Amino acid sequence: MPEPRRRVWTRARALNALFLVPYLALFLVWVIAPAIVGLGLSLTEWSIFTGEMHFVGLRNYLRVFQDDLFLRSLANTLYYTALSVILGNAFSLLMAYGLARGIRGKLVFQTIFFAPVVLSIGVTGVVWGWLYNGDFGLLNYWLESIGLPRVHWLSNPRWAMISVIIMVIWAGAGFNMMIYLAGMLNVPRGLYEAAQLDGANAWQQWIYVTIPLMKYTFAFTLTVSTIGAFQVFDQPYILTGGGPDYATYTLVYHIYSNGFRYFRIGYAAALSYLLALLIFGVVYVQYRLLTRTNVEY
Amino acid sequence: MARRNTWSEAAWILGFAGLSLLMLVPLLFMLSTSLKYEQDVYEYPIRLIPASATFEHYVDLFTRPGVPMLRWFFNSAYTTFMVTGLVLLIDSLTAFGFSRLDIPYKRPLFMLVIASMMIPFPTTLIPVYVFLQQLHWIDTYKALIIPPLAAPFGVFLLRQFFDTAPKELEEAAIIDGCSAFGVYWHVILPVSKSVMATLGIFVFMGTWNAFLWPLIVTHSLKMRPIPVGLTLFNGEFWAERALTMAGATVCALPVLIAFLIFQRHIVRGITLTGLKA
């Protein structure tokens, strides 16, 4: 005889489900529905003024290859991501390494290194805009006082993206520093003592003990910083307005311009799906590479 | 790593002291510019410590016509207060349900919520904007407050914590006839103060500092929160750097103070998310 089917919805379970209702309602309306509707919009051409909507198939997706500004923004984004992720994480690691040694004043240093992380990009942006100012900015004043020529930080296309990256590292490196620090303090001390007995110097301990044991920490920080870097917008928006000559014009900037300045909703939606695909692809490859090697100890 | 080598420790301390000064320069420059008299702002050589200081720009900031600073401050404070409070309430109810209660389909639902963290924020921006426009919510507090409540981070963080909390107390409470809501309210919440504080400070900072979201969903000058309002100074009031830096200081102060008070919780939150991955 087949077992009698248990009822899925009893009174008690229905009451329990009420706990989930407020969040799931929000989640459905503001996450799931937009993700689906966005995909639909990306297949249309829609004028928000006249309300006319046409189905255009994949045309929006194909259009990107003829869009010079898209290609430009893609190149800028890749450049920004590579530099900011590598330099930013190197800087975070350096700070974490010093703190992990347990030097005196550790808490003071940690507080100062982390403090910029809590600031709004609105604050960071206007303050750095002033620091970078060509005529009255502090950075050029310093360069001049040590006999170097002034740099047109924000008005020279070759320097503009570098300026954005320096600001981003100042503002954000403290975050990954904390994660690296926690990872380093988690490595069992005995392993270092054993390595020392085997005659390993500080550098060898770092290469053969710390890095392999922190594999997942690295995978996490690098993945999360890459995801964030691909979405960069606020920093160039405030500091340079995407210029000069589109030197700091990024993918999300392109989505913003198309969606909210030119109101090409369909095209902007297609661009944002391409961004998601790009991020998934890069992160998948990166994560596989970073976690490939096995640690044996 | 506690090898006490005096010389190398001294070198690290010296290096970090220099780096700390360098890291503090932008904040010092912001503060010092905001306190300078107008004629001293563009003086050369630049003084990091002004020769004479004034608070006139802070007064100016709140009284100048065309700069609704008080309103911006209210917008930021109100939005932040509402979002933080509602996220703590809604996410803790949800995480409790996911962690403890017998609910049909809760496992796939939770997986869906977690998977949605993979969707990049800009991807849903366009459709969400279209929704807000259809609802006529653009340029309202509802647009600033309600959609951010759907962020899955808090549900994830709290469920992680609830899953590891001991169950004995709860079982005792249930035997005593406590309802599910009673267990949530009288047993779970009191032992979760620390993780709630961690989530609260993250949401507080994230909302107070948000930029792209309020930039898009508000249009009028008076509905802007401070960070977006500040960029007005980069355009219209470009020449008035002291005023701009006073505005930046006013925006930075609440989060810096919160950071100094709740630093322990912030650090814990970061390391928790980092190590769980």
Side-chain angles (χ1 to χ4, degrees):
Chain A
M1 206 176 98
E3 218 177 299
R5 263 181 61 191
R6 270 182 61 207
R7 279 175 60 205
V8 173
W9 290 99
T10 60
R11 201 182 116 83
R13 288 176 130 196
L15 280 175
N16 284 346
L18 287 179
F19 279 85
L20 304 187
V21 167
Y23 179 77
L24 289 182
L26 286 162
F27 181 69
L28 191 69
V29 175
W30 300 109
V31 179
I32 297 298
I36 296 165
V37 169
L39 201 57
L41 284 174
S42 75
L43 305 174
T44 68
E45 212 157 77
W46 181 30
S47 163
I48 215 159
F49 299 114
T50 62
E52 273 179 76
M53 191 188 272
H54 305 284
F55 181 76
V56 295
L58 292 176
R59 203 189 298 162
N60 284 326
Y61 290 93
L62 299 174
R63 209 166 106 191
V64 298
F65 298 106
Q66 276 114 48
D67 182 355
D68 287 342
L69 272 183
F70 167 77
L71 298 172
R72 185 76 197 273
S73 71
L74 178 64
N76 285 340
T77 305
L78 293 175
Y79 175 64
Y80 168 86
T81 302
L83 272 186
S84 70
V85 169
I86 293 170
L87 297 178
N89 278 283
F91 191 51
S92 305
L93 262 180
L94 177 78
M95 294 190 295
Y97 186 74
L99 294 178
R101 295 171 64 92
I103 57 175
R104 242 162 286 168
K106 180 191 163 215
L107 193 63
V108 177
F109 291 134
Q110 180 183 306
T111 306
I112 292 172
F113 295 162
F114 187 80
V117 174
V118 306
L119 297 176
S120 168
I121 180 59
V123 173
T124 308
V126 298
V127 171
W128 278 81
W130 178 223
L131 282 167
Y132 280 139
N133 184 280
D135 300 316
F136 306 103
L138 190 64
L139 291 182
N140 273 348
Y141 168 67
W142 280 355
L143 284 181
E144 241 177 19
S145 1
I146 55 170
L148 290 171
R150 285 163 176 257
V151 170
H152 295 284
W153 297 99
L154 302 178
S155 55
N156 180 339
R158 300 177 72 168
W159 277 100
M161 190 61 103
I162 306 282
S163 307
V164 171
I165 291 169
I166 294 173
M167 176 183 85
V168 165
I169 292 175
W170 175 80
F175 190 87
N176 280 341
M177 172 192 82
M178 288 293 191
I179 295 178
Y180 285 132
L181 179 59
M184 287 174 189
L185 296 178
N186 249 11
V187 175
R189 260 217 196 130
L191 290 179
Y192 291 111
E193 281 155 19
Q196 269 172 313
L197 283 179
D198 289 345
N201 61 30
W203 178 251
Q204 286 164 330
Q205 289 175 35
W206 171 248
I207 297 290
Y208 294 110
V209 179
T210 316
I211 291 186
L213 281 178
M214 285 177 57
K215 191 173 69 167
Y216 289 100
T217 307
F218 280 108
F220 177 79
T221 50
L222 291 174
T223 306
V224 171
S225 8
T226 305
I227 294 174
F230 268 105
Q231 300 178 39
V232 62
F233 166 78
D234 307 358
Q235 294 83 352
Y237 176 84
I238 297 175
L239 207 54
T240 56
D245 190 27
Y246 295 102
T248 54
Y249 192 73
T250 61
L251 278 175
V252 174
Y253 216 124
H254 200 45
I255 296 174
Y256 172 81
S257 301
N258 275 287
F260 302 106
R261 283 217 190 121
Y262 315 130
F263 297 105
R264 295 181 196 137
I265 299 293
Y267 188 52
L271 285 172
S272 52
Y273 273 84
L274 285 176
L275 174 75
L277 274 180
L278 187 70
I279 292 177
F280 287 151
V282 170
V283 163
Y284 178 75
V285 172
Q286 194 185 35
Y287 196 83
R288 285 297 293 269
L289 285 176
L290 286 167
T291 54
R292 196 179 43 184
T293 48
N294 285 317
V295 198
E296 289 166 21
Y297 58 93
Chain B
M1 289 200 193
R3 291 168 297 108
R4 288 276 169 184
N5 180 329
T6 330
W7 280 109
S8 84
E9 179 172 356
W12 275 102
I13 293 178
L14 210 64
F16 271 14
L19 186 61
S20 298
L21 282 179
L22 219 55
M23 295 284 282
L24 284 174
V25 160
L27 292 177
L28 289 176
F29 197 44
M30 167 183 86
L31 192 65
S32 90
T33 305
S34 77
L35 295 172
K36 282 177 182 175
Y37 282 99
E38 202 61 51
Q39 67 268 22
D40 295 339
V41 171
Y42 301 102
E43 77 173 334
Y44 232 69
I46 295 172
R47 288 173 211 261
L48 256 182
I49 295 161
S52 51
T54 169
F55 278 105
E56 65 183 23
H57 302 293
Y58 288 88
V59 177
D60 198 14
L61 192 64
F62 283 96
T63 51
R64 164 95 55 125
V67 184
M69 188 68 189
L70 211 57
R71 180 64 190 260
W72 292 345
F73 198 93
F74 171 78
N75 294 343
S76 280
Y78 177 66
T79 307
T80 305
F81 177 76
M82 292 300 283
V83 172
T84 308
L86 288 170
V87 163
L88 286 177
L89 177 70
I90 295 171
D91 288 6
S92 63
L93 282 168
T94 314
F96 174 71
F98 275 134
S99 173
R100 289 294 204 271
L101 299 178
D102 176 25
I103 299 169
Y105 313 115
K106 75 171 184 177
R107 196 161 286 278
L109 280 172
F110 183 70
M111 295 314 273
L112 186 68
V113 171
I114 295 306
S116 80
M117 291 209 281
M118 294 282 290
I119 304 173
F121 173 61
T123 300
T124 49
L125 207 54
I126 302 280
V128 165
Y129 181 82
V130 171
F131 284 14
L132 291 172
Q133 208 181 33
Q134 302 296 323
L135 289 168
H136 301 290
W137 280 13
I138 297 293
D139 222 25
T140 65
Y141 289 112
K142 278 180 282 194
L144 286 169
I145 294 168
I146 293 175
L149 301 180
F153 174 71
V155 175
F156 170 70
L157 183 78
L158 293 181
R159 200 196 92 130
Q160 292 276 30
F161 179 83
F162 293 165
D163 274 355
T164 58
K167 297 205 168 109
E168 289 80 14
L169 262 177
E170 265 173 80
E171 281 155 8
I174 293 169
I175 292 167
D176 288 348
C178 220
S179 66
F181 187 80
V183 173
Y184 161 78
W185 192 256
H186 295 294
V187 181
I188 291 285
L189 282 190
V191 299
S192 309
K193 280 184 194 134
S194 165
V195 72
M196 293 285 274
T198 300
L199 176 61
I201 185 73
F202 270 85
V203 178
F204 166 83
M205 294 195 312
T207 313
W208 183 272
N209 290 340
F211 189 81
L212 180 55
W213 181 254
L215 175 73
I216 284 165
V217 302
T218 63
H219 289 165
S220 63
L221 195 58
K222 68 177 188 1
M223 280 306 291
R224 300 293 205 186
I226 305 184
V228 181
L230 275 182
T231 57
L232 170 81
F233 293 114
N234 263 359
E236 216 172 310
F237 297 94
W238 206 95
E240 301 188 62
R241 287 292 91 185
L243 188 70
T244 310
M245 293 305 128
T249 309
V250 168
C251 182
L253 225 49
V255 276
L256 281 176
I257 291 171
F259 163 57
L260 291 177
I261 298 174
F262 293 102
Q263 188 175 9
R264 206 165 47 85
H265 289 101
I266 296 171
V267 172
R268 216 179 74 103
I270 294 174
T271 47
L272 263 183
T273 43
L275 292 179
K276 282 275 157 59

